[in-house]
Amino acid sequence: MNHSNFTFDCLGKCSHTHARAGVFHTPHGIVETPRFMPVGTTATVKTLTPAHLEDAQAQMVLANTYHLHLRPGEDIIREAGGLHKFMNWKGPMLTDSGGFQVFSLSKTRKITEEGVTFKSPLDGRTIFISPEKSIEIQNALGADVIMAFDECPPYPATREEVVAATDRTYRWLERCIQAHQRPEDQALFPIVQGGVHLDLRAETAKALQAFDLPGYAIGGVSVGEPSHFIHKIVRATAPLLPANKPRYLMGVGTYKEMAIAIASGIDLFDCVIPTRVARHGAAFVRGERWNLKNAPFKRDFTPLDDTCPCYTCQNFTRAYLCHLIRCGEITGFTLLSLHNITELIRFTQQIRDAILRDKFVEEFGHWLNSDENEVIDEPQH
């Protein structure tokens, strides 16, 4: 299969872990890996403009197939000239398949071999998405990277349930490949499922390699399982994926999760967490999570982080941010979102730089310990 518009170059490796630094080439530009990718569910990253995202050094942005199919509909986006033109984002884009949303958001859904039937949460109409339909929608949206339609088993689930979902995901991938109309300018990534069963993950990773697709994703983590399970899954699975293709861990975006995943050989991440916590008045600062509503910030006239280059940190004080958040002002959510996305991208940029100097373990090793009782969230300020 010809994937000449999508190549991955590894520029440096850590001598103590599987961490690597590379460049993923796409039709809309490069992505320097490892890299955090902001999530723009409905063709917008909440409260931010594309100019904000450029300032934050975002290179690749996500959008959501399920939500865009419901509203405004892929036909409108196609008429607009595709997702890039519709939202005026000039860099690389990725759309997920809609599979996760179908399984997590729809209370009344019916999964068959053909696909999934569910009721629209907007108007109650019955909608059917099959592997073919998911690819048809994504071909219309026009993102650089599109995801195979998968069945994401919940946690907890019986082994039998996970086996059934994993096998179906494989069969659906075959149908996605057949349905894909734009392989020259849209890279289709398959998704490794398998729940918390490392043997199923390993079998799937091996089976998917035979398709020789332009990149590979690990899905079905961060669906409710304890974080030490996430770490075990990623550590066991990532090194089994092709070394000459980008590896994408879906739905992960905290400092610790990303550092451990990078050490396992993961290149790309996405998560809604930086904008979500911003809308709750929280900021990520130097590895911690701070609640800007807290009283000590009311009279703190220093920047959020004086080492951060973002517009928020360069222009405003903690006291002002505290005031905006306490008043519920949208500007406050914008400023915190801009900072949080800048912070997580900067974290992955700093790790990339450390890998290229072979100082990853020396400078980021404190993030790599995991134990049975740890909490996913960062400490409160």
Side-chain angles (χ1 to χ4, degrees), residues 110-322:
K110 187 180 177 200
I111 305 169
T112 65
E113 189 62 27
E114 271 312 296
V116 185
T117 307
F118 61 98
K119 295 243 185 301
S120 165
L122 299 178
D123 57 17
R125 70 195 157 106
T126 299
I127 295 176
F128 175 71
I129 295 186
S130 61
E132 292 81 5
K133 185 64 179 175
S134 172
I135 297 300
E136 181 190 321
I137 298 166
Q138 293 186 83
N139 283 165
L141 296 174
D144 301 84
V145 173
I146 66 176
M147 302 304 299
F149 193 61
D150 61 328
E151 182 177 345
C152 179
Y155 178 87
T158 66
R159 184 179 170 93
E160 289 70 29
E161 289 168 332
V162 176
V163 167
T166 305
D167 289 349
R168 180 173 280 144
T169 293
Y170 181 87
R171 294 191 297 273
W172 281 359
L173 172 63
E174 294 178 309
R175 289 165 58 187
C176 287
I177 293 169
Q178 286 296 313
H180 187 19
Q181 297 295 307
R182 298 176 60 179
E184 291 300 313
D185 63 339
Q186 289 187 292
L188 175 64
F189 283 21
I191 301 170
V192 178
Q193 292 288 0
V196 296
H197 306 285
L198 299 186
D199 58 327
L200 294 181
R201 293 276 181 177
E203 284 170 25
T204 306
K206 187 177 178 186
L208 295 185
Q209 290 204 39
F211 292 103
D212 188 30
L213 290 162
Y216 288 78
I218 297 175
V221 300
S222 289
V223 292
E225 71 278 51
S227 58
H228 65 270
F229 275 138
I230 300 176
H231 303 155
K232 282 178 182 168
I233 292 164
V234 176
R235 283 179 172 137
T237 309
L240 303 177
L241 298 174
N244 62 336
K245 309 283 177 73
R247 301 164 177 158
Y248 163 34
L249 180 60
M250 305 179 76
V252 163
T254 62
Y255 295 101
K256 188 180 190 73
E257 257 41 84
M258 289 196 293
I260 288 173
I262 289 167
S264 308
I266 293 290
D267 307 299
L268 297 167
F269 310 86
D270 78 284
C271 193
V272 296
I273 195 168
T275 49
R276 179 173 287 167
V277 302
R279 295 194 304 281
H280 288 93
F284 293 127
V285 183
R286 301 185 199 179
E288 296 182 347
R289 176 173 162 174
W290 295 357
N291 183 353
L292 268 296
K293 292 176 188 167
N294 287 351
F297 292 120
K298 286 173 80 172
R299 286 184 166 80
D300 187 338
F301 302 108
T302 60
L304 197 50
D305 178 353
D306 58 13
T307 71
C308 178
C310 83
Y311 174 76
T312 305
C313 291
Q314 293 298 312
N315 290 281
F316 303 103
T317 64
R318 298 171 183 181
Y320 181 63
L321 294 169
C322 175

Side-chain angles (χ1 to χ4, degrees), residues 3-9 22-31 92 187 246:
H3 304 303
S4 56
N5 288 324
F6 298 92
T7 55
F8 178 77
D9 300 321
V23 178
F24 177 39
H25 299 267
T26 82
H28 283 89
I30 64 165
V31 186

Side-chain angles (χ1 to χ4, degrees), residues 74-94:
E74 62 274 13
D75 291 349
I76 288 174
I77 293 175
R78 186 199 276 119
E79 281 177 44
L83 201 46
H84 292 86
K85 281 195 176 148
F86 188 57
M87 65 181 282
N88 193 31
W89 174 252
K90 295 175 176 63
M93 288 201 73
L94 182 153

